[in-house]
Amino acid sequence: MGSARILAVDDERETCEALAEMLSAWGHKVETAFDGHDALRKAGEFRPDVVLSDLAMPETDGLWLLRNLREELPDCPVVFLTGRGTIDTAVESIREGAYDFIVKPLDTARLKVCIDRALEKKETLREVQTLRRRLKQLGSTDLIAGSIGMRKVIEMIEKVAPSKASVSISGESGTGKEVVARTVHNLSLRRDKPFIAINCASIPATLIESELFGHERGAFTGADQRRPGVFEMAHGGTLFLDELGEIPIDLQAKLLRVLEEGRLRRLGGKVEIEVDVRVLSATNRDLKQEIKNQRFREDLYFRLNVFQLHLPPLRERRDDVPILVQHFVDKFRGDSAKRVSGVHPDAMEVLKNYDWPGNIRELRNAVERAVILCDGELITREHLPPDMAGKSPERHTFKLPFGLSLDAVEREYILGSLQRNGNNKARTAEVLGVSEKTLYNKLNRYAAENRAQGAPGGGSPLGGQGSDGPMSASSFLTR
């Protein structure tokens, strides 16, 4: 560490002066004090980076000084020098907030390391305070935007929010599309009305019409009472349709009519109901390609894409990582009653250099795990997930022979990715950038094709050279 201001406190003048001489030789600027009152006065004037004090002093001992310094300089680390007869008191000082204690006679090497670490902690806490001030400036929103790319997104949100335009939000899974949708709503004239969000991929195709438009009693088996849909629930406010591309093609025409006319009819109903809803949407699919494949209506696409917002992945906005980390540390510390205040610089470097394939969702989970494991004030490397070893995650290669059709390449890649992710379908869908529903549909189709071919064991091996061994589609479904 570089030069620092250190206040040395000891009631024995010779000891205090010798300590000051040694600290000065190490390159520090030193001030001395010979009792607690003198130390407190000089601390207010000198504003030290570290206080190095004898613990056992007449009248005003080290604990008295520690308690009073807490009000004057709450972020200043205090290191005590103690004899063997006062070790119990030294341990008590740690509980009261002292940084550390060193037993006399002094081990100068240990003292030097202790001061360096105390200065390092002070600098980290200063950075934490800076991050918290930036968070406060951003307000209570969960949309944290310090990088250039995200500031541009915020500017676009501020421009489009007051209008009535439909907004399409794109970006990788985990980039915060619903947070952006909620921010658009909160900045709009509809902020006092409902904000309703649904994930179209999580709703079975047979129920999505009822979910969107509602149903009357007796409209289908199990419909024992009238139920409004999300359009009615969002009347006057905003409806966010996530995974828009999962809406069946035969239902898209009805959705377009509701958007254009502001009227709907519940499933099984005879009366049209007026609705005033602003629709925001998001999808991981390439809708233009879906239009070419006749799986998405072009007129609906243009109706919902009046204004586009694209969210950059976290690896392209690394400047936002420290403030996002601090945001989640503060959140989870409050939830778990932990005393974690920030992240050690080494651990922060790991977090900043990681590629975050799962984006903000993965970052959030990593910080929550670290807060749970951390028993001190700062999160360190050991509290981070094992695969974050200070470098980007391993890039696996995936080799395929020439001559395969595109469908076969897709099939091999999906099954290889599934195996790489330990058969975790949610994680695989996230990495591939598709919904879980889409992944399940493809795996079911592969299994059915294998059964139709009469392959033993539910299907022929499909593991390419990039996988760790043969694996069939049906085996993924049954494991």
Side-chain angles (χ1 to χ4, degrees), residues 242-272:
D242 199 5
E243 298 287 4
L244 175 72
E246 301 297 329
I247 296 179
I249 186 71
D250 55 351
L251 187 58
Q252 292 174 21
K254 187 170 183 179
L255 174 59
L256 178 63
R257 180 176 177 273
V258 172
L259 294 174
E260 291 183 338
E261 299 181 7
R263 303 174 68 86
L264 63 83
R265 185 179 298 164
R266 296 192 191 109
L267 195 62
K270 298 179 180 179
V271 179
E272 287 198 332

Side-chain angles (χ1 to χ4, degrees), residues 265-286:
R265 185 179 298 164
R266 296 192 191 109
L267 195 62
K270 298 179 180 179
V271 179
E272 287 198 332
I273 302 166
E274 288 191 6
V275 288
D276 172 22
V277 176
R278 183 186 193 180
V279 176
L280 312 179
S281 61
T283 181
N284 287 321
R285 290 193 181 194
D286 182 348

Side-chain angles (χ1 to χ4, degrees), residues 212-461:
L212 289 173
F213 309 122
H215 63 256
E216 298 287 351
R217 180 179 179 182
F220 51 84
T221 303
D224 54 357
Q225 59 183 353
R226 173 187 290 175
R227 183 178 181 277
V230 291
F231 268 90
E232 285 183 76
M233 294 166 62
H235 179 65
T238 304
L239 175 62
F240 175 55
L241 299 176
D242 199 5
E243 298 287 4
L244 175 72
E246 301 297 329
I247 296 179
I249 186 71
D250 55 351
L251 187 58
Q252 292 174 21
K254 187 170 183 179
L255 174 59
L256 178 63
R257 180 176 177 273
V258 172
L259 294 174
E260 291 183 338
E261 299 181 7
R263 303 174 68 86
L264 63 83
R265 185 179 298 164
R266 296 192 191 109
L267 195 62
K270 298 179 180 179
V271 179
E272 287 198 332
I273 302 166
E274 288 191 6
V275 288
D276 172 22
V277 176
R278 183 186 193 180
V279 176
L280 312 179
S281 61
T283 181
N284 287 321
R285 290 193 181 194
D286 182 348
L287 291 185
K288 290 185 177 179
Q289 187 60 46
E290 293 292 288
I291 291 170
K292 291 180 181 178
N293 295 335
Q294 298 185 338
R295 289 195 291 262
F296 201 85
R297 293 179 63 103
E298 188 175 32
D299 47 6
L300 179 60
Y301 172 82
F302 287 118
R303 181 65 181 78
L304 291 172
N305 279 262
V306 176
F307 196 94
Q308 295 87 34
L309 289 172
H310 177 70
L311 303 186
L314 191 54
R315 62 184 174 274
E316 294 179 7
R317 44 180 293 211
R318 296 185 189 274
D319 290 349
D320 287 336
V321 170
I323 195 167
L324 282 165
V325 169
Q326 190 60 49
H327 169 72
F328 290 129
V329 166
D330 290 343
K331 171 180 170 56
F332 295 122
R333 177 189 59 192
D335 292 346
S336 61
K338 290 270 188 170
R339 60 189 185 98
V340 185
S341 60
V343 178
H344 189 277
D346 288 347
M348 185 63 81
E349 279 302 305
V350 173
L351 295 171
K352 286 164 65 177
N353 292 326
Y354 185 65
D355 262 0
W356 301 110
N359 291 294
I360 297 173
R361 184 183 295 117
E362 184 181 8
L363 174 65
R364 182 184 190 276
N365 293 343
V367 174
E368 182 175 17
R369 175 187 188 273
V371 170
I372 291 171
L373 293 176
C374 183
D375 293 322
E377 290 187 61
L378 297 179
I379 290 170
T380 62
R381 280 175 180 258
E382 66 182 13
H383 301 127
L384 301 179
D387 59 342
M388 295 181 188
K391 59 183 179 179
S392 299
E394 183 183 354
R395 301 286 191 181
H396 297 296
T397 58
F398 193 81
K399 299 178 182 178
L400 291 170
F402 287 105
L404 293 180
S405 67
L406 286 177
D407 283 344
V409 170
E410 180 188 73
R411 176 173 172 160
E412 292 269 1
Y413 188 73
I414 287 174
L415 294 179
S417 298
L418 190 59
Q419 185 162 348
R420 282 290 182 192
N421 288 288
N423 199 31
N424 184 323
K425 298 177 184 64
R427 172 67 175 149
T428 302
E430 186 174 81
V431 169
L432 294 175
V434 299
S435 67
E436 287 185 56
K437 178 180 176 182
T438 297
L439 180 61
Y440 272 99
N441 287 343
K442 289 183 181 293
L443 293 176
N444 279 319
R445 177 162 61 82
Y446 299 159
E449 289 171 355
N450 290 340
R451 287 195 297 270
Q453 293 170 3
S460 59

Side-chain angles (χ1 to χ4, degrees), residues 177-248:
K177 294 187 285 292
E178 183 173 340
V179 173
V180 167
R182 196 176 294 274
T183 303
V184 170
H185 171 75
N186 290 338
L187 294 176
S188 74
L189 300 177
R190 298 169 178 260
R191 66 178 68 90
D192 296 327
K193 299 296 183 179
F195 174 86
I196 305 295
I198 65 165
N199 188 314
C200 300
S202 66
I203 307 168
T206 53
L207 296 179
I208 193 166
E209 181 175 1
S210 170
E211 187 71 21
L212 289 173
F213 309 122
H215 63 256
E216 298 287 351
R217 180 179 179 182
F220 51 84
T221 303
D224 54 357
Q225 59 183 353
R226 173 187 290 175
R227 183 178 181 277
V230 291
F231 268 90
E232 285 183 76
M233 294 166 62
H235 179 65
T238 304
L239 175 62
F240 175 55
L241 299 176
D242 199 5
E243 298 287 4
L244 175 72
E246 301 297 329
I247 296 179

